[in-house]
């Protein structure tokens, strides 16, 4: 009887793995990030003094397809964020934080023949890893140091970021090309007591590859 129970259990697990594996894909995307911040102190906005910063992202992920039209996608994403602030006396401050994001997206497919268009959206949880703060005058480097993380000054930024991603793309065979917008809901400034609020946002363009497991 024990052998029958064990054998039945093994068969059930094997069948379940077979069913899930048929719907499971492994993929990765990478490409360009154009990042910036919404930066305010009280009612005053510094956005006119901010410039976009070019960076990159690398995002391995798993995708489980519930049907040919709907899937869930989850993965880890290494992201550059930050911005460039133009200050007085020709001073520019460049902040370049690097994050590791945990992402979960609901993904919808639309068949248009062989290519498949997709749209997706979902939350991300970002953890600050490292970064740099540089100051320039007339494009000459004045100072450079590593970013510090924490909730309060003298730290530069809060380590935790949380927000939402949304994107669109097209699959052609195993390859994909897409664009994404990400917005951070959390204030990453440590100067909240002074009314300073900073929120990350990133526009991404990526190339990817995906294959069935």
């Amino acid at each position: 009887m024990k052998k029958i129970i064990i054998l039945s259990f093994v068969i059930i697990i094997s069948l379940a793995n077979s069913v899930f594996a048929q719907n499971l894909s492994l993929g990765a995307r990478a490409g360009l990030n154009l990042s910036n911040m919404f930066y305010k102190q009280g009612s005053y906005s510094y956005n006119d003094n901010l410039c976009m910063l070019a960076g990159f992202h690398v995002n391995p992920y798993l995708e489980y397809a519930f049907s040919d039209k709907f899937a869930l996608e989850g993965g880890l994403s290494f992201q550059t964020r930050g911005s460039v602030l133009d200050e007085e006396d020709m001073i520019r401050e460049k902040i370049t934080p690097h994050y590791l994001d945990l992402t979960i997206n609901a993904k919808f497919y639309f068949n248009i023949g062989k290519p498949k268009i997709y749209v997706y959206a979902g939350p991300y949880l970002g953890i600050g890893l490292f970064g740099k703060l540089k100051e320039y005058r007339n494009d000459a480097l004045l100072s450079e140091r590593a970013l510090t993380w924490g909730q309060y000054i003298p730290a530069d930024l809060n380590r935790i970021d949380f927000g939402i991603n949304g994107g669109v793309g097209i699959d052609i065979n195993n390859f994909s090309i897409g664009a994404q917008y990400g917005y951070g809901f959390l204030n990453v400034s440590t100067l909240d007591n002074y009314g300073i609020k900073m929120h990350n946002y990133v526009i991404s363009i990526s190339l990817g590859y995906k294959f069935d497991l």
Side-chain angles (χ1 to χ4, degrees):
M1 186 68 179
K2 275 187 178 181
K3 290 182 179 179
I4 294 174
I5 293 173
I6 292 172
L7 182 59
S8 300
F9 182 75
V10 170
I11 291 172
I12 290 170
I13 294 296
S14 299
L15 287 173
N17 285 339
S18 176
V19 170
F20 277 97
Q22 288 176 1
N23 298 326
L24 196 62
S25 301
L26 176 65
R29 62 174 67 94
L32 174 69
N33 275 5
L34 296 172
S35 64
N36 209 335
M37 291 181 171
F38 292 110
Y39 186 176
K40 293 182 67 175
Q41 183 172 16
S43 59
Y44 180 78
S45 172
Y46 289 88
N47 291 342
D48 290 340
N49 301 90
L50 292 170
C51 303
M52 277 193 160
L53 183 66
F56 67 94
H57 65 277
V58 179
N59 176 204
Y61 63 89
L62 283 171
E63 181 178 312
Y64 182 78
F66 291 89
S67 70
D68 62 347
K69 292 182 172 57
F70 176 71
L72 281 180
E73 175 192 295
L76 293 174
S77 182
F78 181 77
Q79 297 272 349
T80 63
R81 294 190 174 98
S83 67
V84 178
L85 175 63
D86 288 325
E87 300 182 298
E88 296 178 355
D89 300 323
M90 303 299 292
I91 298 291
R92 304 186 84 204
E93 186 175 272
K94 181 178 179 181
I95 186 168
T96 56
H98 293 64
Y99 289 84
L100 183 66
D101 291 357
L102 173 65
T103 63
I104 300 174
N105 293 312
K107 201 169 185 180
F108 301 89
Y109 284 96
F110 304 91
N111 292 325
I112 56 171
K114 202 165 188 180
K116 295 170 69 176
I117 293 175
Y118 62 84
V119 295
Y120 64 88
Y124 73 83
L125 176 65
I127 300 172
L129 300 177
F130 57 89
K132 288 186 177 181
L133 182 65
K134 298 180 180 180
E135 283 191 341
Y136 298 84
R137 174 178 284 134
N138 295 326
D139 296 326
L141 183 64
L142 292 178
S143 64
E144 177 181 351
R145 64 175 175 82
L147 282 179
T148 57
W149 304 91
Q151 291 185 313
Y152 308 103
I153 52 174
D156 295 307
L157 292 176
N158 288 328
R159 187 179 293 274
I160 302 300
D161 192 17
F162 174 78
I164 190 168
N165 292 316
V168 61
I170 185 168
D171 280 350
I172 303 174
N173 296 325
N174 294 92
F175 294 92
S176 66
I177 182 169
Q180 175 179 288
Y181 177 81
Y183 174 76
F185 294 137
L186 294 186
N187 177 21
V188 295
S189 170
T190 59
L191 301 172
D192 191 49
N193 290 339
Y194 296 88
I196 294 178
K197 299 188 181 299
M198 300 165 65
H199 296 265
N200 287 307
Y201 72 91
V202 181
I203 298 169
S204 303
I205 300 171
S206 62
L207 294 174
Y209 184 84
K210 182 179 69 174
F211 59 91
D212 296 333
L213 294 178

